[in-house]
Amino acid sequence: DTEVTQTPKHLVMGMTNKKSLKCEQHMGHRAMYWYKQKAKKPPELMFVYSYEKLSINESVPSRFSPECPNSSLLNLHLHALQPEDSALYLCASSQGLAGATGELFFGEGSRLTVL
Amino acid sequence: KQEVTQIPAALSVPEGENLVLNCSFTDSAIYNLQWFRQDPGKGLTSLLLIQSSQREQTSGRLNASLDKSSGRSTLYIAASQPGDSATYLCAGRSGYSTLTFGKGTMLLVSP
């Protein structure tokens, strides 16, 4: 099983709403990632968790708040977003962070629209 | 810092053709290079992962090569089919860092 599951697939929210994106994997991977992808652009890294600890934050605004409750789950909490935050949010996982353990597996993404 | 470039940005071929997608990277101390496929509005599907110690990997009609000395990787698709139409992304990993993506090649295979 090489599946990364993301919910919801689509989300529409107003600028004052609070919502969350969820990601789950059962491959025993210890590194999990959030990426943001705008149309016709490559994915941009937002956050990396390694062994449930935040390892990398690519200077993401605080209106995005990641959480890793356990080794299988990754959440992205959203609050007071701007219309320009509308994008496809992708979750990924890998066995580890580097070298031979570094193959990334992506979910199908959550399409976020901020009104 | 690793930079990844993909050429061409778009490619249109008739069904049945063999084709090559190109990826170049600047940091030869690369750990591995991964090729992905992305259909419109969907996530990324991992196609092939080549470790720095490997020269190539094959999966079905796909063959990916890696030449660290020249900073190049190629993805060869044999006997292309309309179902191969998608955007293909390569991404390289250097050191204890995360993947650096190229901008992708948009492939259209016409029947």
Side-chain angles (χ1 to χ4, degrees), chain A residues 33 35 37 40 42-43 45 48 56 88 90 94 97-100 102-104 106-108 111, chain B residues 31-32 34 36 38 41-44 46 49 51 89 93 95-99 101-103 106:
Chain A
Y33 311 73
Y35 283 83
Q37 188 179 28
K40 299 193 184 301
L45 182 66
V48 182
I56 297 175
L88 182 66
L90 294 162
S94 64
L97 272 184
E103 184 173 7
L104 252 66
F106 280 82
E108 285 294 311
R111 171 73 60 189
Chain B
Y31 267 23
N32 57 47
Q34 196 167 353
F36 296 91
Q38 186 172 31
K42 301 290 188 181
L44 278 68
S46 179
L49 172 74
Q51 302 296 347
L89 294 151
R93 184 194 292 273
Y96 248 95
S97 68
T98 56
L99 289 180
F101 281 89
K103 292 184 178 180
M106 187 181 301

Side-chain angles (χ1 to χ4, degrees), chain B:
Chain B
K1 181 186 174 185
Q2 181 74 269
E3 292 182 11
V4 177
T5 304
Q6 290 187 247
I7 295 173
L11 181 64
S12 182
V13 301
E15 181 177 6
E17 270 203 13
N18 302 324
L19 58 99
V20 175
L21 307 182
N22 295 294
C23 173
S24 61
F25 49 91
T26 55
D27 184 359
S28 61
I30 193 166
Y31 267 23
N32 57 47
L33 188 135
Q34 196 167 353
W35 282 92
F36 296 91
R37 168 191 173 132
Q38 186 172 31
D39 293 291
K42 301 290 188 181
L44 278 68
T45 300
S46 179
L47 297 174
L48 289 164
L49 172 74
I50 311 178
Q51 302 296 347
S52 61
S53 58
Q54 298 173 320
R55 297 281 297 187
E56 63 179 57
Q57 283 281 5
T58 297
S59 176
R61 294 183 293 108
L62 305 180
N63 176 277
S65 68
L66 177 65
D67 184 341
K68 288 175 56 178
S69 62
S70 66
R72 288 183 172 181
S73 176
T74 60
L75 179 67
Y76 175 82
I77 303 177
S80 58
Q81 302 170 358
D84 294 330
S85 298
T87 295
Y88 291 80
L89 294 151
C90 71
R93 184 194 292 273
S94 299
Y96 248 95
S97 68
T98 56
L99 289 180
T100 300
F101 281 89
K103 292 184 178 180
T105 294
M106 187 181 301
L107 174 66
L108 177 63
V109 181
S110 52

Side-chain angles (χ1 to χ4, degrees), chain A residues 82-104:
Chain A
Q82 304 297 311
E84 59 265 29
D85 296 323
S86 298
L88 182 66
Y89 288 83
L90 294 162
C91 174
S93 71
S94 64
Q95 186 179 345
L97 272 184
T101 61
E103 184 173 7
L104 252 66

Side-chain angles (χ1 to χ4, degrees), chain A:
Chain A
D1 181 10
T2 57
E3 192 170 297
V4 176
T5 304
Q6 290 188 242
T7 55
K9 287 186 168 39
H10 300 276
L11 179 63
V12 179
M13 59 186 293
M15 290 190 284
T16 58
N17 291 157
K18 286 186 180 180
K19 297 285 184 183
S20 297
L21 306 180
K22 297 185 186 302
C23 174
E24 190 168 2
Q25 57 87 14
H26 295 289
M27 295 178 276
H29 288 176
R30 302 315 300 264
M32 296 187 75
Y33 311 73
W34 280 114
Y35 283 83
K36 173 183 177 179
Q37 188 179 28
K38 301 282 262 184
K40 299 193 184 301
K41 299 286 187 182
E44 297 176 0
L45 182 66
M46 300 175 71
F47 303 104
V48 182
Y49 274 82
S50 178
Y51 288 85
E52 300 156 50
K53 289 187 172 19
L54 184 63
S55 176
I56 297 175
N57 176 343
E58 291 287 346
S59 302
V60 178
S62 60
R63 58 186 184 267
F64 295 92
S65 175
E67 178 196 20
C68 189
N70 60 57
S71 60
S72 300
L73 292 174
L74 185 66
N75 298 321
L76 186 63
H77 302 298
L78 314 171
H79 174 54
L81 295 192
Q82 304 297 311
E84 59 265 29
D85 296 323
S86 298
L88 182 66
Y89 288 83
L90 294 162
C91 174
S93 71
S94 64
Q95 186 179 345
L97 272 184
T101 61
E103 184 173 7
L104 252 66
F105 296 92
F106 280 82
E108 285 294 311
S110 293
R111 171 73 60 189
L112 174 66
T113 302
V114 182
L115 301 177

